[in-house]
């Protein structure tokens, strides 16, 4: 399969209210929109997270989706979740300062002070030969507002709550696209290993006891990192397990 395509020139589309920037990017992908199209909305009335969950989307936060046509295998393209996580965390650090170092939580969350500040939703369509036709990377970053703890799966926060409010979604999108381009270039040049190292350097809960909620059960063990495909490594009483999909919680939260 081919090496991923170079990062395209960004073509930004600014919208007021939309159902979901991912949905809009997917509609445009199906209609032939160019790679590099970025859908940025002030608010979403049907914002979505992983596993069909609702993404709280009031005005003032960042909601953006990037359309790519990376011409590589789906397995390779899905590494972009980690590229994006590293980029979002770098943006948060850039505005929140070193004392609030952003962490990456497997597979697609960005945390500050152990609370979720951003999430990433990647959706894709493959063509007949198995290569990716299009890939949409949606990012939600809580700038001014976040869901309360009773309405979300994981405690949440915002830049404002972390003492770094006052940024526009436009300015944060500028920073995000720049950080994403840099990390994407490194990924394309050096492969996943460099991104994996950057992600692990920011990993939340590495070496700690965790619970992983799977679609069909629960696993408990020590979070031992991610493998060279981005799968979670879990050291359980029965040996090391790899996990492709699930929700991670600290073991004391069960
Ligand atoms: C998650 O943490 O479960 C992923 C959340 C992704 C939310 C973003 S907001 C912009 C884009 N549009 C959506 O409907 N979802 C993503």
């Amino acid at each position: 399969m081919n090496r991923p395509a170079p990062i395209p020139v960004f073509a930004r589309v600014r919208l007021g209210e939309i159902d979901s920037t991912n949905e809009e990017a997917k509609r445009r992908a199906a209609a032939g929109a160019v790679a590099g199209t970025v859908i940025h909305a002030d608010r979403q009335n049907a914002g979505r997270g992983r596993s069909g969950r609702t993404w709280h989307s009031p005005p003032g936060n960042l909601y953006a989706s990037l359309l790519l046509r990376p011409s590589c295998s789906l397995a390779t393209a899905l590494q972009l979740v980690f590229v994006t996580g590293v980029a979002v965390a770098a943006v948060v650090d850039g505005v929140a300062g070193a004392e609030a170092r952003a962490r990456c939580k497997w597979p697609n969350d960005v945390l500050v002070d152990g609370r979720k500040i951003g999430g990433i939703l990647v959706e894709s369509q493959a063509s007949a030969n198995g290569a990716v036709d299009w890939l949409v990377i949606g990012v939600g970053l809580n700038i001014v507002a976040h869901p309360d703890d009773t309405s979300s799966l994981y405690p949440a926060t915002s830049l404002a709550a972390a003492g770094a409010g006052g940024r526009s979604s436009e300015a944060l999108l500028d920073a995000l696209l720049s950080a994403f381009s840099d990390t994407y270039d490194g990924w394309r040049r050096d492969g996943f290993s460099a991104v994996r190292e950057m992600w692990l350097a920011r990993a939340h809960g590495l070496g700690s006891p965790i619970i992983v909620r799977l679609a069909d059960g629960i696993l408990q063990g020590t979070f031992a990192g991610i493998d060279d495909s981005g799968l979670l490594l879990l050291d359980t009483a029965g040996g090391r397990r790899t996990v492709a999909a699930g929700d991670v919680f600290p073991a004391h939260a069960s």
Side-chain angles (χ1 to χ4, degrees), residues 50 103-111 116 154 199 202-204 223 247-250:
R50 277 173 64 233
R103 299 275 166 192
C104 294
K105 175 172 169 283
W106 188 87
N108 67 334
D109 296 341
V110 176
L111 309 185
K116 180 162 169 170
Y154 205 82
W199 191 94
R202 291 181 172 279
H204 174 72
F223 176 32
D247 290 312
V248 170
F249 301 91

Side-chain angles (χ1 to χ4, degrees), residues 142-214:
N142 297 335
I143 304 174
V144 299
H146 61 84
D148 63 39
D149 290 352
T150 53
S151 64
S152 58
L153 194 63
Y154 205 82
T157 191
S158 64
L159 286 174
R167 266 72 176 193
S168 69
S169 63
E170 191 77 35
L172 289 166
L173 181 58
D174 289 344
L176 177 58
L177 293 176
S178 168
F180 180 82
S181 296
D182 290 347
T183 317
Y184 184 103
D185 283 344
W187 170 70
R188 192 169 171 271
R189 188 182 57 240
D190 303 328
F192 184 55
S193 59
V195 173
R196 179 176 169 273
E197 290 308 315
M198 284 191 276
W199 191 94
L200 284 171
R202 291 181 172 279
H204 174 72
L206 196 60
S208 302
I210 58 169
I211 286 174
V212 188
R213 282 195 205 150
L214 312 172

